[in-house]
Amino acid sequence: MNYKQHLDNKIFKIITQAAHELQLESYVIGGFVRDILLQRDHKKDIDIVAVGSGIELAIKVSSLLPNTPKVQVFKNYGTAMLRYKDMDVEFVGARKESYNFDSRNPVVENGTLKDDQERRDFTINALAFSLNENNFGDLVDPFGGVQDLENKIIRTPLNPDITYSDDPLRMMRAIRFATQLQFEIEKESLDAITRNAERINIISGERIVDELNKILATPKPSIGFLLLHKTGLLDIILPELTALNNVEEVEGHTHKNNFYHTLEVVDNICPNTEDLWLRWSALLHDIGKAPTKKFHKKQGWTFHGHEFLGGKMVKKIFTRLHMPLNQKMKFVQKMVMMSSRPIVLAQKEVTDSAVRRLVFDAGEDVEDLMTLCEADITTKNPKKFQKYHNNFKIVRKKIVEVEEKDRVRNFQPPIDGEEIMQLFNLKPGREIGILKEAVKEAILEGEIPNEYDAAYQFVITKAKNMGLKSIN
């Protein structure tokens, strides 16, 4: 079948001309082709394979384009890239690869188009359109990739054990594509991932996290995390998560499976936010439950302090996986540590002082926290489900009212330590801290409004009770 109509962009005609002048064969291959056949939005990244030098072809193409775009050459990899309008076009020479057991960096030598297609991760990514003059637009599909697209199957061109052992990151990519496209991984391929799961240990944390981020960015990340769990990869990558998949029974008392609950929370939050770090917060919100789980004869199962411990575990996970140890990590820590606060609030009568404290502690992240906690409602009891959601509506309404009235989000007490020192002729010391904390508590409890005059009078009275005298 010919797909000329999808190759009407000027860049393809220029590549054809350049390849002809250099007497090379050229093809567009990979995701661009796959997405055309799936009738998805075409990627802005275009991969061109040349049977010959990809770098030479890139330089020739640049010379034929208006304004001669700059060519970035990566000699070590035998690739080159140029930007044309809003597209990144990468050129590589057709090659065959062989691998050492302890590295995912291949030994590369020149090869044919078929060699190049064989080295691709999946049949659906090995599809190519010809850019040659004699058969421009023809589909080259040696491994049945089109059939796999129709059957919604992820399959490797060669023996999957070889494919995954050679480059173990492909195991993560298989699961990511299955999640993004909602395809099934062919049984032999899935079994091979399970057999080769330990090979993931040679892959850097950054590469693994890049795939986890792409899974979390999908509409239903649970598909990917269940596959990671089924194949044993999740035990290696995030054992803190799989530790939650342990339901115990003592004296007839059981607790819910917090692993499957977590995946439900992640799926629940996705329609309401595209914020990757809020989705990470949903994934990690209960990780402190496994190490804090205890059984008491009177209370049953408890997880006391799981939020605090979970927040500390977040830093260990981010460090181990080489994730950013910056504000993004601190945001996830904060969400995990505060994840039960609105839920507890929604189970009781919603008081102004409790809402003030919530807004003060959450600050600018209070809306994100509420989004997380609403996703955390996974009860199958329709009455409880409705009750919790109704209570959260009340909490949200109270947040707005308290904000308008008291302005406590990220507030600083209206009277500061400097003024207190001048007022009572004090040097820096514990009395200053006590008075500042007392003002803050009085405002949060609603004893005084968040205003200077009220805070001033409160400090005078409080200081007098502490035996301090104003110099005024």
Side-chain angles (χ1 to χ4, degrees):
M1 191 177 292
N2 192 281
Y3 290 87
K4 272 186 188 175
Q5 71 273 25
H6 296 292
L7 302 173
D8 58 358
N9 191 299
K10 182 179 179 180
I11 188 68
F12 296 118
K13 307 295 188 293
I14 296 289
I15 293 168
T16 298
Q17 182 185 341
H20 178 74
E21 289 183 21
L22 292 171
Q23 296 185 306
L24 300 175
E25 290 177 36
S26 64
Y27 303 84
V28 56
I29 196 166
F32 179 85
V33 179
R34 179 196 68 230
D35 288 344
I36 282 175
L37 296 174
L38 283 173
Q39 298 181 347
R40 298 171 86 213
D41 284 344
H42 310 340
K43 291 172 61 172
K44 297 295 183 187
D45 299 336
I46 297 174
D47 293 323
I48 304 296
V49 63
V51 182
S53 170
I55 294 172
E56 275 185 43
L57 180 58
I59 293 166
K60 186 67 175 176
V61 167
S62 171
S63 73
L64 296 173
L65 284 169
N67 305 319
T68 316
K70 183 183 176 186
V71 177
Q72 288 180 279
V73 175
F74 307 95
K75 273 192 177 172
N76 289 349
Y77 299 99
T79 64
M81 181 183 286
L82 62 81
R83 187 157 182 83
Y84 174 71
K85 296 188 176 175
D86 60 344
M87 294 179 291
D88 289 320
V89 188
E90 184 167 350
F91 298 80
V92 63
R95 60 198 192 185
K96 50 185 174 182
E97 299 174 341
S98 55
Y99 289 79
N100 293 319
F101 187 76
D102 59 351
S103 171
R104 65 179 290 264
N105 297 321
V107 176
V108 176
E109 52 187 302
N110 293 337
T112 64
L113 173 65
K114 190 164 184 293
D115 289 331
D116 200 86
Q117 288 174 300
E118 282 180 350
R119 75 178 181 83
R120 303 277 160 171
D121 48 11
F122 311 114
T123 60
I124 62 172
N125 291 336
L127 296 158
F129 290 146
S130 169
L131 298 180
N132 303 305
E133 285 186 342
N134 61 331
N135 59 355
F136 185 87
D138 279 3
L139 178 67
V140 186
D141 176 20
F143 305 111
V146 170
Q147 193 67 49
D148 288 341
L149 284 177
E150 289 172 3
N151 295 332
K152 300 190 172 185
I153 294 287
I154 304 290
R155 189 168 59 87
T156 60
L158 301 177
N159 181 326
D161 280 301
I162 295 171
T163 297
Y164 295 134
S165 180
D166 280 351
D167 184 355
L169 187 65
R170 290 167 175 166
M171 299 188 288
M172 297 288 298
R173 283 171 59 81
I175 290 170
R176 186 248 294 180
F177 278 119
T179 312
Q180 285 178 328
L181 301 174
Q182 301 203 359
F183 278 23
E184 273 189 43
I185 300 176
E186 174 220 23
K187 184 182 184 307
E188 182 52 37
S189 200
L190 194 65
D191 292 345
I193 293 174
T194 306
R195 287 192 294 271
N196 290 279
E198 287 292 335
R199 293 280 290 147
I200 202 67
N201 286 313
I202 72 165
I203 302 297
S204 70
E206 293 92 338
R207 294 273 189 173
I208 289 169
V209 168
D210 187 46
E211 295 300 327
L212 289 177
N213 287 346
K214 288 172 181 174
I215 290 169
L216 275 172
T218 65
K220 197 175 180 185
S222 64
I223 295 170
F225 283 97
L226 287 170
L227 286 169
L228 288 169
H229 177 49
K230 183 177 181 179
T231 55
L233 285 168
L234 199 59
D235 268 332
I236 300 166
I237 297 165
L238 276 174
E240 298 87 349
L241 206 54
T242 55
L244 299 174
N245 188 26
N246 181 19
V247 178
E248 292 184 62
E249 182 174 341
V250 177
E251 297 177 10
H253 293 272
T254 59
H255 56 85
K256 70 183 172 190
N257 185 308
N258 286 303
F259 174 70
Y260 290 99
H261 160 75
T262 292
L263 298 190
E264 207 175 333
V265 174
V266 175
D267 284 352
N268 283 349
I269 208 168
C270 288
N272 300 316
T273 182
E274 292 185 1
D275 184 331
L276 175 65
W277 303 106
L278 188 51
R279 291 185 180 199
W280 266 104
S281 303
L283 186 69
L284 302 181
H285 82 283
D286 268 350
I287 52 170
K289 281 193 170 177
T292 58
K293 182 171 68 173
K294 284 191 172 69
F295 180 78
H296 305 269
K297 282 188 178 290
K298 288 186 179 177
Q299 296 168 276
W301 290 102
T302 65
F303 305 91
H304 293 315
H306 77 271
E307 304 95 336
F308 177 72
L309 181 60
K312 291 172 78 172
M313 290 168 73
V314 165
K315 185 172 184 182
K316 289 181 181 175
I317 291 168
F318 272 53
T319 302
R320 186 179 73 233
L321 293 176
H322 302 132
M323 294 171 73
L325 303 179
N326 54 17
Q327 287 307 117
K328 291 165 182 173
M329 182 203 70
K330 288 178 182 173
F331 170 80
V332 175
Q333 279 188 306
K334 183 178 182 180
M335 291 296 101
V336 171
M337 291 177 85
M338 294 192 70
S339 59
S340 294
R341 288 275 296 275
I343 292 171
V344 172
L345 202 60
Q347 290 169 343
K348 302 175 180 177
E349 183 187 348
V350 185
T351 63
D352 282 8
S353 63
V355 172
R356 273 191 217 98
R357 287 188 178 281
L358 178 71
V359 174
F360 175 74
D361 290 339
E364 293 302 324
D365 302 315
V366 70
E367 283 85 5
D368 285 336
L369 181 61
M370 292 300 295
T371 300
L372 172 59
C373 291
E374 283 170 338
D376 203 1
I377 303 168
T378 60
T379 176
K380 300 301 176 277
N381 182 317
K383 285 187 178 176
K384 277 188 179 178
F385 185 86
Q386 197 55 52
K387 181 188 168 192
Y388 285 145
H389 275 283
N390 288 341
N391 285 0
F392 273 125
K393 283 179 187 171
I394 295 168
V395 174
R396 281 187 178 276
K397 190 172 175 228
K398 282 268 190 186
I399 287 171
V400 174
E401 290 170 0
V402 162
E403 268 289 84
E404 285 177 357
K405 190 172 60 169
D406 300 321
R407 306 180 313 283
V408 294
R409 190 180 302 207
N410 297 328
F411 91 103
Q412 295 296 322
I415 186 165
D416 63 19
E418 194 72 36
E419 190 169 354
I420 291 171
M421 285 191 286
Q422 290 174 4
L423 198 55
F424 300 103
N425 196 23
L426 293 171
K427 291 182 178 177
R430 62 185 286 274
E431 291 100 337
I432 313 300
I434 291 169
L435 288 169
K436 281 180 69 179
E437 184 66 19
V439 173
K440 185 189 90 175
E441 287 295 312
I443 292 169
L444 292 176
E445 284 299 321
E447 293 171 24
I448 61 171
N450 185 15
E451 295 167 0
Y452 177 81
D453 290 344
Y456 181 90
Q457 289 304 322
F458 177 86
V459 165
I460 295 291
T461 305
K462 178 73 178 173
K464 190 176 178 183
N465 293 337
M466 290 169 62
L468 299 173
K469 290 183 181 177
S470 166
I471 61 172
N472 293 338

